Amino acid sequence: MIKADLIIRNGYILDFEKNGDEFLKQDIVINSGKIVFIGKATSYVASKEIDANEKIVMPGFVDTHTHIGMSYFKGIADDLPLMDWLQNHIWPLESNFLNPEFVYDASLFGCAELIKNGITHFNDMYFFEDQTAKAAKKIGIRATLGEGILDHNADKSIQITRDLYYQYKDDNLIDISVAPHAIYTCNRGNLIKARDLAIELGLKIHIHLNESEFEVKESMRNFGKKPVEYLDEFDFFQVPTISAHSLWLDENEQKIFSKKNVTASINASSNYKLANGINSFKNYLKNGVNLSFGTDSVASNNNLSMLSEINIFSKVQKALIHDSTFLPAKEVLKMATVNGANVLDNHFNSAKLEIGNNADIITVDVDNIQSQPLYNMFSQLVYSIESEQIKDVIIDGKTIMINRKLVNVDESELLKKAKYWREKITFYQK
Ligand SMILES: [Zn+2]
């Protein structure tokens, strides 16, 4: 018998090369963080096993835009216009509460919520990212982390990014990115500094772009160009870039994204809730833009459910162009897994259940009324299944959640901390 770390037994393996309607039960064998065998694992023995009978076994979701340190601001100021929300609620709270302890606690809480939603890799931009890195390591989730660069903190954030890079450059879970916040909070000089740092260290860039029509208008007024054209003018896109929102790209901007390896992170719930509008992504696909999904923060979403994100987005996209054939379920699921991993994973694509790849895997219970009768796994995942049915989460070959219970943190402790900080925030608001 061959020894391995973990065997996931008897699951329905989700395979993007197939149609989603084959229910052959198979095992996945994992060793040293990698998938080593898929099939009937009769010649393997492992110290740990997961029973995946009547469960879909699939790659974890990749969340390409979050602010996980904001997790305690969930539901604190809803149903407000974007600028009122930001200037009169979020920014004052941040200036009062952001410190290492707060960001660590909020990050750990947020990471727990990500895992409960089957997200195995998140791409974050916020402050005190050293604390978010610590929280991600503690809970065991894969993360790409960027310290937010704005004009008022640019040199300090660039130094923090550099320090984090050296601290984590050999880490198997944490990657560092360069994260200039947006073109309206970073001047050209600071955007160029961010670009050059990313080139020097070989890092990706994470930025907000084209979130609102107001932002596009301001760009025209200030620079005489659309946001993406303005950045391209000084050759900003020299490293793989993840652009949050990317809601209002015109044809030429879409072509620049495609040519310069920029991935759009679609943040549908956040865009709808803050009333930044609805745009069709059909042309983006025609122009070859890599589309992925981000949940954005719980302050604007207000949850971290990738299943809810893909459900609402795909229906709205069909309705918008009166075409129910647009964005079939399999394509949407690829956007939520493979497309994000293609840009974020450096070596072993976590979103493909293939031998040699990272074992970032979730199981989804389909032995229940919500999921039956089950004809097609892709359809059920996009249109029927909810996060509560995600049972087990494996990241880097390690079991992080078993039957919805987190392995590396005490959930009652997380709840206690959330209530403690709620008291403090409520007291401050009075
Ligand atoms: Zn954001």
Side-chain angles (χ1 to χ4, degrees), residues 275-310:
N276 283 315
I278 296 174
N279 195 7
S280 170
F281 281 83
K282 190 169 183 176
N283 239 12
Y284 288 55
L285 287 175
K286 202 189 84 199
N287 284 316
V289 180
N290 187 40
L291 298 180
S292 67
F293 289 107
T295 53
D296 211 350
S297 85
V298 289
S300 64
N301 182 316
N302 301 3
N303 62 62
L304 301 176
S305 167
M306 188 60 77
L307 285 171
S308 144
E309 220 48 38
I310 60 184

Side-chain angles (χ1 to χ4, degrees), residues 65 67 208 244-245 296:
H65 182 63
H67 307 282
H208 295 92
H245 303 291
D296 211 350

Side-chain angles (χ1 to χ4, degrees), residues 34 121 142 144 168-175 202 204 340-352 354-359 396:
K34 304 278 181 283
H121 190 164
R142 202 179 293 284
T144 300
Y168 285 101
K169 71 185 171 51
D170 300 319
D171 197 274
N172 55 338
L173 284 180
I174 307 293
D175 273 322
K204 288 154 197 124
N342 278 348
V343 57
L344 289 178
D345 277 358
N346 287 328
H347 307 295
F348 307 100
N349 197 322
S350 316
K352 288 183 183 148
E354 288 169 8
I355 291 168
N357 282 348
N358 280 338
D396 202 37

Side-chain angles (χ1 to χ4, degrees), residues 16 42 60 136 248 378 407 421:
F16 287 113
T42 44
W248 297 109
F378 298 122
V407 174
W421 284 109

Side-chain angles (χ1 to χ4, degrees), residues 47 70 79 81 98 105 141 192 241 245 256 275 340 371 390 425 428:
S47 48
M70 293 179 84
D79 312 321
L98 287 201
D105 287 351
I141 192 170
I192 289 172
T241 298
H245 303 291
I256 293 170
S371 321
I390 296 166
I425 290 171
Y428 156 80

Side-chain angles (χ1 to χ4, degrees), residues 17 91 128 130 196 202 259 287 324 330 359 389 401:
E17 304 299 318
W91 288 345
F128 299 103
D130 58 321
D196 290 346
K259 206 168 122 202
N287 284 316
S324 56
K330 192 200 314 197
Q389 289 157 257
M401 182 170 85

